[in-house]
PDB file of all heavy atoms in Angstrom:
ATOM      1  N   LYS A 428      90.688 100.597 110.666  1.00 56.00           N
ATOM      2  CA  LYS A 428      89.948 100.041 109.548  1.00 56.00           C
ATOM      3  C   LYS A 428      90.886  99.445 108.504  1.00 56.00           C
ATOM      4  O   LYS A 428      90.609  98.387 107.973  1.00 56.00           O
ATOM      5  CB  LYS A 428      89.079 101.114 108.905  1.00 56.00           C
ATOM      6  CG  LYS A 428      87.878 101.489 109.725  1.00 56.00           C
ATOM      7  CD  LYS A 428      87.022 102.467 108.964  1.00 56.00           C
ATOM      8  CE  LYS A 428      85.787 102.792 109.756  1.00 56.00           C
ATOM      9  NZ  LYS A 428      84.919 103.695 109.029  1.00 56.00           N
ATOM     10  N   LYS A 434      94.133  92.472 107.080  1.00 65.00           N
ATOM     11  CA  LYS A 434      94.062  91.158 107.699  1.00 65.00           C
ATOM     12  C   LYS A 434      93.073  90.258 106.965  1.00 65.00           C
ATOM     13  O   LYS A 434      93.382  89.121 106.650  1.00 65.00           O
ATOM     14  CB  LYS A 434      93.659  91.300 109.160  1.00 65.00           C
ATOM     15  CG  LYS A 434      93.655  90.000 109.917  1.00 65.00           C
ATOM     16  CD  LYS A 434      93.265  90.229 111.349  1.00 65.00           C
ATOM     17  CE  LYS A 434      93.284  88.998 112.199  1.00 65.00           C
ATOM     18  NZ  LYS A 434      92.849  87.778 111.614  1.00 65.00           N
ATOM     19  N   ASP A 438      94.367  86.926 104.844  1.00 90.00           N
ATOM     20  CA  ASP A 438      94.306  85.826 105.818  1.00 90.00           C
ATOM     21  C   ASP A 438      94.656  84.465 105.218  1.00 90.00           C
ATOM     22  O   ASP A 438      95.391  83.691 105.825  1.00 90.00           O
ATOM     23  CB  ASP A 438      92.913  85.735 106.452  1.00 90.00           C
ATOM     24  CG  ASP A 438      92.812  86.516 107.737  1.00 90.00           C
ATOM     25  OD1 ASP A 438      93.847  86.997 108.223  1.00 90.00           O
ATOM     26  OD2 ASP A 438      91.690  86.643 108.259  1.00 90.00           O
ATOM     27  N   MET A 450     104.551  72.038 108.084  1.00 93.00           N
ATOM     28  CA  MET A 450     104.823  70.805 107.341  1.00 93.00           C
ATOM     29  C   MET A 450     106.313  70.611 107.070  1.00 93.00           C
ATOM     30  O   MET A 450     106.789  69.486 107.058  1.00 93.00           O
ATOM     31  CB  MET A 450     104.082  70.815 106.000  1.00 93.00           C
ATOM     32  CG  MET A 450     102.608  70.560 106.138  1.00 93.00           C
ATOM     33  SD  MET A 450     101.746  70.256 104.569  1.00 93.00           S
ATOM     34  CE  MET A 450     102.450  71.406 103.445  1.00 93.00           C
ATOM     35  N   HIS A 451     107.063  71.693 106.848  1.00 91.00           N
ATOM     36  CA  HIS A 451     108.429  71.560 106.355  1.00 91.00           C
ATOM     37  C   HIS A 451     109.534  71.952 107.339  1.00 91.00           C
ATOM     38  O   HIS A 451     110.682  71.596 107.126  1.00 91.00           O
ATOM     39  CB  HIS A 451     108.618  72.392 105.077  1.00 91.00           C
ATOM     40  CG  HIS A 451     107.779  71.903 103.941  1.00 91.00           C
ATOM     41  ND1 HIS A 451     108.035  70.722 103.278  1.00 91.00           N
ATOM     42  CD2 HIS A 451     106.674  72.419 103.356  1.00 91.00           C
ATOM     43  CE1 HIS A 451     107.139  70.545 102.335  1.00 91.00           C
ATOM     44  NE2 HIS A 451     106.291  71.557 102.360  1.00 91.00           N
ATOM     45  N   LYS A 453     111.643  71.560 110.510  1.00 86.00           N
ATOM     46  CA  LYS A 453     111.941  70.604 111.585  1.00 86.00           C
ATOM     47  C   LYS A 453     111.906  71.296 112.948  1.00 86.00           C
ATOM     48  O   LYS A 453     111.540  70.698 113.941  1.00 86.00           O
ATOM     49  CB  LYS A 453     113.290  69.956 111.339  1.00 86.00           C
ATOM     50  CG  LYS A 453     113.303  69.116 110.070  1.00 86.00           C
ATOM     51  CD  LYS A 453     114.421  68.125 110.076  1.00 86.00           C
ATOM     52  CE  LYS A 453     114.563  67.343 108.812  1.00 86.00           C
ATOM     53  NZ  LYS A 453     113.390  67.025 108.075  1.00 86.00           N
ATOM     54  N   CYS A 454     112.298  72.548 112.981  1.00 85.00           N
ATOM     55  CA  CYS A 454     112.278  73.327 114.221  1.00 85.00           C
ATOM     56  C   CYS A 454     110.845  73.449 114.744  1.00 85.00           C
ATOM     57  O   CYS A 454     110.584  73.192 115.912  1.00 85.00           O
ATOM     58  CB  CYS A 454     112.877  74.705 113.981  1.00 85.00           C
ATOM     59  SG  CYS A 454     112.897  75.770 115.437  1.00 85.00           S
ATOM     60  N   TYR A 460     110.811  75.291 120.232  1.00 86.00           N
ATOM     61  CA  TYR A 460     110.830  76.753 120.166  1.00 86.00           C
ATOM     62  C   TYR A 460     109.468  77.259 119.707  1.00 86.00           C
ATOM     63  O   TYR A 460     108.677  76.508 119.148  1.00 86.00           O
ATOM     64  CB  TYR A 460     111.894  77.242 119.168  1.00 86.00           C
ATOM     65  CG  TYR A 460     113.297  76.820 119.517  1.00 86.00           C
ATOM     66  CD1 TYR A 460     113.845  75.668 118.971  1.00 86.00           C
ATOM     67  CD2 TYR A 460     114.063  77.566 120.390  1.00 86.00           C
ATOM     68  CE1 TYR A 460     115.138  75.269 119.294  1.00 86.00           C
ATOM     69  CE2 TYR A 460     115.350  77.183 120.723  1.00 86.00           C
ATOM     70  CZ  TYR A 460     115.888  76.034 120.175  1.00 86.00           C
ATOM     71  OH  TYR A 460     117.156  75.641 120.495  1.00 86.00           O
ATOM     72  N   PHE A 462     106.952  79.500 117.274  1.00 87.00           N
ATOM     73  CA  PHE A 462     106.924  79.647 115.821  1.00 87.00           C
ATOM     74  C   PHE A 462     107.833  80.792 115.386  1.00 87.00           C
ATOM     75  O   PHE A 462     108.603  80.654 114.436  1.00 87.00           O
ATOM     76  CB  PHE A 462     105.484  79.890 115.345  1.00 87.00           C
ATOM     77  CG  PHE A 462     105.363  79.968 113.854  1.00 87.00           C
ATOM     78  CD1 PHE A 462     105.253  78.813 113.099  1.00 87.00           C
ATOM     79  CD2 PHE A 462     105.372  81.189 113.201  1.00 87.00           C
ATOM     80  CE1 PHE A 462     105.140  78.870 111.721  1.00 87.00           C
ATOM     81  CE2 PHE A 462     105.266  81.259 111.824  1.00 87.00           C
ATOM     82  CZ  PHE A 462     105.147  80.097 111.085  1.00 87.00           C
ATOM     83  N   GLU A 464     110.439  82.074 116.929  1.00 89.00           N
ATOM     84  CA  GLU A 464     111.844  81.715 117.120  1.00 89.00           C
ATOM     85  C   GLU A 464     112.323  80.793 116.001  1.00 89.00           C
ATOM     86  O   GLU A 464     113.426  80.951 115.484  1.00 89.00           O
ATOM     87  CB  GLU A 464     112.042  81.032 118.482  1.00 89.00           C
ATOM     88  CG  GLU A 464     111.886  81.974 119.658  1.00 89.00           C
ATOM     89  CD  GLU A 464     111.854  81.243 120.986  1.00 89.00           C
ATOM     90  OE1 GLU A 464     111.538  80.034 121.019  1.00 89.00           O
ATOM     91  OE2 GLU A 464     112.143  81.895 121.998  1.00 89.00           O
ATOM     92  N   CYS A 465     111.484  79.842 115.623  1.00 87.00           N
ATOM     93  CA  CYS A 465     111.841  78.928 114.532  1.00 87.00           C
ATOM     94  C   CYS A 465     111.978  79.678 113.220  1.00 87.00           C
ATOM     95  O   CYS A 465     112.899  79.418 112.445  1.00 87.00           O
ATOM     96  CB  CYS A 465     110.793  77.830 114.395  1.00 87.00           C
ATOM     97  SG  CYS A 465     110.876  76.601 115.710  1.00 87.00           S
ATOM     98  N   LYS A 467     112.845  82.776 112.761  1.00 88.00           N
ATOM     99  CA  LYS A 467     114.119  83.516 112.795  1.00 88.00           C
ATOM    100  C   LYS A 467     115.310  82.581 112.617  1.00 88.00           C
ATOM    101  O   LYS A 467     116.236  82.876 111.870  1.00 88.00           O
ATOM    102  CB  LYS A 467     114.238  84.293 114.109  1.00 88.00           C
ATOM    103  CG  LYS A 467     113.310  85.472 114.187  1.00 88.00           C
ATOM    104  CD  LYS A 467     113.381  86.143 115.541  1.00 88.00           C
ATOM    105  CE  LYS A 467     112.322  87.219 115.653  1.00 88.00           C
ATOM    106  NZ  LYS A 467     112.250  87.788 116.994  1.00 88.00           N
ATOM    107  N   ASP A 469     115.367  79.507 111.231  1.00 84.00           N
ATOM    108  CA  ASP A 469     115.376  78.930 109.886  1.00 84.00           C
ATOM    109  C   ASP A 469     115.833  79.959 108.857  1.00 84.00           C
ATOM    110  O   ASP A 469     116.574  79.631 107.932  1.00 84.00           O
ATOM    111  CB  ASP A 469     113.998  78.386 109.513  1.00 84.00           C
ATOM    112  CG  ASP A 469     113.650  77.098 110.257  1.00 84.00           C
ATOM    113  OD1 ASP A 469     114.524  76.574 110.971  1.00 84.00           O
ATOM    114  OD2 ASP A 469     112.513  76.624 110.114  1.00 84.00           O
ATOM    115  N   ASN A 473     119.125  79.705 106.662  1.00 84.00           N
ATOM    116  CA  ASN A 473     118.651  79.435 105.301  1.00 84.00           C
ATOM    117  C   ASN A 473     118.022  78.044 105.179  1.00 84.00           C
ATOM    118  O   ASN A 473     118.299  77.297 104.248  1.00 84.00           O
ATOM    119  CB  ASN A 473     119.779  79.619 104.281  1.00 84.00           C
ATOM    120  CG  ASN A 473     119.252  79.861 102.884  1.00 84.00           C
ATOM    121  OD1 ASN A 473     118.120  80.287 102.719  1.00 84.00           O
ATOM    122  ND2 ASN A 473     120.070  79.585 101.896  1.00 84.00           N
ATOM    123  N   CYS A 479     107.699  77.393 101.077  1.00 92.00           N
ATOM    124  CA  CYS A 479     107.343  78.320 102.160  1.00 92.00           C
ATOM    125  C   CYS A 479     107.843  79.731 101.848  1.00 92.00           C
ATOM    126  O   CYS A 479     107.157  80.712 102.159  1.00 92.00           O
ATOM    127  CB  CYS A 479     107.912  77.837 103.489  1.00 92.00           C
ATOM    128  SG  CYS A 479     107.284  76.227 104.007  1.00 92.00           S
ATOM    129  N   ARG A 481     108.079  80.996  98.901  1.00 95.00           N
ATOM    130  CA  ARG A 481     107.139  81.513  97.897  1.00 95.00           C
ATOM    131  C   ARG A 481     105.848  81.989  98.560  1.00 95.00           C
ATOM    132  O   ARG A 481     105.329  83.055  98.251  1.00 95.00           O
ATOM    133  CB  ARG A 481     106.837  80.430  96.862  1.00 95.00           C
ATOM    134  CG  ARG A 481     105.951  80.900  95.729  1.00 95.00           C
ATOM    135  CD  ARG A 481     105.676  79.793  94.722  1.00 95.00           C
ATOM    136  NE  ARG A 481     105.141  78.567  95.307  1.00 95.00           N
ATOM    137  CZ  ARG A 481     103.867  78.408  95.691  1.00 95.00           C
ATOM    138  NH1 ARG A 481     103.029  79.389  95.544  1.00 95.00           N
ATOM    139  NH2 ARG A 481     103.471  77.261  96.199  1.00 95.00           N
ATOM    140  N   THR A 484     106.430  85.262 100.337  1.00 93.00           N
ATOM    141  CA  THR A 484     106.474  86.366  99.372  1.00 93.00           C
ATOM    142  C   THR A 484     105.062  86.753  98.932  1.00 93.00           C
ATOM    143  O   THR A 484     104.738  87.946  98.859  1.00 93.00           O
ATOM    144  CB  THR A 484     107.323  85.965  98.151  1.00 93.00           C
ATOM    145  OG1 THR A 484     108.636  85.634  98.608  1.00 93.00           O
ATOM    146  CG2 THR A 484     107.417  87.095  97.145  1.00 93.00           C
ATOM    147  N   MET A 487     103.418  88.715 101.747  1.00 91.00           N
ATOM    148  CA  MET A 487     103.947  90.076 101.864  1.00 91.00           C
ATOM    149  C   MET A 487     103.482  90.957 100.707  1.00 91.00           C
ATOM    150  O   MET A 487     103.164  92.131 100.895  1.00 91.00           O
ATOM    151  CB  MET A 487     105.480  90.061 101.923  1.00 91.00           C
ATOM    152  CG  MET A 487     106.049  89.477 103.206  1.00 91.00           C
ATOM    153  SD  MET A 487     105.539  90.410 104.673  1.00 91.00           S
ATOM    154  CE  MET A 487     104.475  89.231 105.474  1.00 91.00           C
ATOM    155  N   ASP A 495      98.819  99.884  99.636  1.00 71.00           N
ATOM    156  CA  ASP A 495      99.047 100.797  98.511  1.00 71.00           C
ATOM    157  C   ASP A 495      97.756 101.558  98.182  1.00 71.00           C
ATOM    158  O   ASP A 495      96.754 100.944  97.827  1.00 71.00           O
ATOM    159  CB  ASP A 495      99.506  99.988  97.297  1.00 71.00           C
ATOM    160  CG  ASP A 495      99.882 100.855  96.113  1.00 71.00           C
ATOM    161  OD1 ASP A 495      99.768 102.095  96.215  1.00 71.00           O
ATOM    162  OD2 ASP A 495     100.279 100.290  95.081  1.00 71.00           O
ATOM    163  N   ARG A 501      92.123 100.347  91.792  1.00 59.00           N
ATOM    164  CA  ARG A 501      92.295  99.222  90.879  1.00 59.00           C
ATOM    165  C   ARG A 501      91.959  97.884  91.510  1.00 59.00           C
ATOM    166  O   ARG A 501      91.774  96.895  90.818  1.00 59.00           O
ATOM    167  CB  ARG A 501      93.763  99.158  90.396  1.00 59.00           C
ATOM    168  CG  ARG A 501      94.162 100.338  89.573  1.00 59.00           C
ATOM    169  CD  ARG A 501      95.554 100.120  89.058  1.00 59.00           C
ATOM    170  NE  ARG A 501      96.471  99.924  90.168  1.00 59.00           N
ATOM    171  CZ  ARG A 501      97.688 100.423  90.229  1.00 59.00           C
ATOM    172  NH1 ARG A 501      98.158 101.136  89.235  1.00 59.00           N
ATOM    173  NH2 ARG A 501      98.462 100.192  91.242  1.00 59.00           N
ATOM    174  N   ARG A 504      95.657  93.026  92.753  1.00 56.00           N
ATOM    175  CA  ARG A 504      95.877  92.173  91.588  1.00 56.00           C
ATOM    176  C   ARG A 504      96.122  90.743  92.051  1.00 56.00           C
ATOM    177  O   ARG A 504      96.629  90.502  93.142  1.00 56.00           O
ATOM    178  CB  ARG A 504      97.047  92.670  90.763  1.00 56.00           C
ATOM    179  CG  ARG A 504      98.337  92.632  91.528  1.00 56.00           C
ATOM    180  CD  ARG A 504      99.484  92.971  90.615  1.00 56.00           C
ATOM    181  NE  ARG A 504     100.628  92.357  91.243  1.00 56.00           N
ATOM    182  CZ  ARG A 504     101.790  92.905  91.398  1.00 56.00           C
ATOM    183  NH1 ARG A 504     102.027  94.070  90.926  1.00 56.00           N
ATOM    184  NH2 ARG A 504     102.759  92.271  92.008  1.00 56.00           N
TER     185      ARG A 504
END
Side-chain angles (χ1 to χ4, degrees):
K428 287 185 177 182
K434 184 179 182 322
D438 267 352
M450 285 191 319
H451 296 289
K453 296 200 185 327
C454 180
Y460 300 94
F462 184 84
E464 290 170 338
C465 286
K467 288 175 187 173
D469 287 354
N473 201 22
C479 299
R481 184 180 54 78
T484 301
M487 291 299 112
D495 185 359
R501 295 185 302 220
R504 63 173 204 224

